[in-house]
Amino acid sequence: MNFRVSHKTRYVYSEPVSLCHNELRLVPRSLPHQLVTRSKITVTPPPSALRERDDFFGNRVCYFAVQQPHDELAVTVKSIVRVLDRPDLAAPPPESGAWETARERLRSPEDPKTMDARQFVFNSALAAAAPGLRDYALPSFPAGRPLLLASRDLMDRIFNDFTFKPGFTTVSTPLSEVLKHRRGVCQDFAHLAIGCLRSLGLAARYVSGYIETLPPPGQVRLHGADVSHAWFSVFAPGLGWFDFDPTNNLIPRDRHIITAWGRDFSDVTPLKGIIFSGGSHRLIVSVDVERWEEGDGTG
């Protein structure tokens, strides 16, 4: 499946900003199942400095600075991405093994991939292990249950037990509050699942990206209606990483586009920075994810 992704971010300031430094993580990753054929970053006003690099997790990062007074900052990232279909985990392979076996292998890693995944067992600021999270996770992880089957059940329970409620939480809302009120957004549900898995000694990471959204039958798709999305990934020693989307109760296949991954949202913030100004600001974000055919142009 080929997609054209456009992510537009605007900051409108109440007072002129004299200087800003920023980092963005909005360029999709190049992966075996995801091919990025084109990507373009446009910043207005034009930046005085712009550099790209890969961060610790291999995410593409763009640093830029605007050193002239401005009352609005606009950043647009346009990409053409081909997403290949991934296996359906409706029936996880038996070789995924019991989840307790995965935990033991993570404690004593015997290969580089498992050693690398071990860092995702430990707590992070926004997705830390906790007794309440362990208690919530345990019904999905009875003794001997295959890791991927248990993770899928956890995804299913979060989808059914929690209500998607934009505005109910913020980035800093503790997972204990999300668990108590059973409300939140995709970011909260991803963090919740990660905290549950880490509470059991398993490796889980936060994945940021997009998902193609389709309009109801008979209705026209609205431009700018898509948003950034988040889900979680669990590591199965000997097999690798497997993604789960608890917001939609989906196994990501060919409609999820990955931009970045890390320990939690703080590692993959789409756009962050500092400004020199005494005023306030208003944030406007517009995202389009649409199917694309060769010859359509980049938009």
Side-chain angles (χ1 to χ4, degrees), residues 100-111 114 237-238:
E100 299 97 330
T101 302
R103 179 178 60 188
E104 293 307 312
R105 292 182 66 179
L106 284 161
R107 289 173 176 172
S108 302
E110 299 177 351
D111 61 272
T114 305

Side-chain angles (χ1 to χ4, degrees), residues 79-287:
S79 304
I80 302 296
V81 185
R82 183 183 181 192
V83 182
L84 306 179
D85 198 7
R86 288 184 277 175
D88 186 0
L89 294 183
E95 64 267 22
S96 63
W99 69 270
E100 299 97 330
T101 302
R103 179 178 60 188
E104 293 307 312
R105 292 182 66 179
L106 284 161
R107 289 173 176 172
S108 302
E110 299 177 351
D111 61 272
K113 289 184 178 180
T114 305
M115 175 68 77
D116 182 70
R118 181 169 163 75
Q119 65 184 302
F120 295 98
V121 175
F122 302 113
N123 292 339
S124 60
L126 301 177
L133 297 176
R134 178 182 171 85
D135 291 343
Y136 180 80
L138 280 175
S140 295
F141 289 81
R145 195 175 205 178
L147 172 62
L148 299 182
L149 183 61
S151 299
R152 185 183 178 94
D153 187 73
L154 177 64
M155 173 187 72
D156 180 77
R157 288 177 52 227
I158 293 174
F159 174 78
N160 286 291
D161 291 349
F162 289 76
T163 300
F164 185 82
K165 186 72 173 179
F168 186 80
T169 57
T170 68
V171 173
S172 58
T173 300
L175 283 180
S176 58
E177 290 297 304
V178 177
L179 187 60
K180 176 182 177 180
H181 296 286
R182 305 280 173 118
R183 285 171 172 77
V185 293
C186 60
Q187 174 181 288
D188 302 304
F189 303 153
H191 283 150
L192 180 74
I194 293 168
C196 286
L197 290 160
R198 290 177 180 169
S199 296
L200 297 174
L202 299 168
R205 66 188 181 192
Y206 183 98
V207 186
S208 177
Y210 309 101
I211 181 174
E212 179 195 25
T213 56
L214 301 175
Q219 295 188 25
V220 177
R221 179 183 175 279
L222 300 177
H223 289 284
D226 296 308
V227 295
S228 296
H229 193 40
W231 56 97
F232 73 95
S233 188
V234 63
F235 183 76
L239 294 176
W241 289 95
F242 292 85
D243 290 1
F244 298 86
D245 180 353
T247 304
N248 298 292
N249 202 23
L250 286 175
I251 301 296
R253 297 183 66 182
D254 62 349
R255 291 175 53 207
H256 286 68
I257 300 167
I258 297 172
T259 55
W261 60 57
R263 295 164 299 177
D264 58 35
F265 173 80
S266 63
D267 285 332
V268 300
T269 307
L271 180 59
K272 63 181 179 180
I274 57 172
I275 63 171
F276 291 84
S277 174
S280 59
H281 71 270
R282 181 164 55 97
L283 173 63
I284 305 165
V285 178
S286 174
V287 177

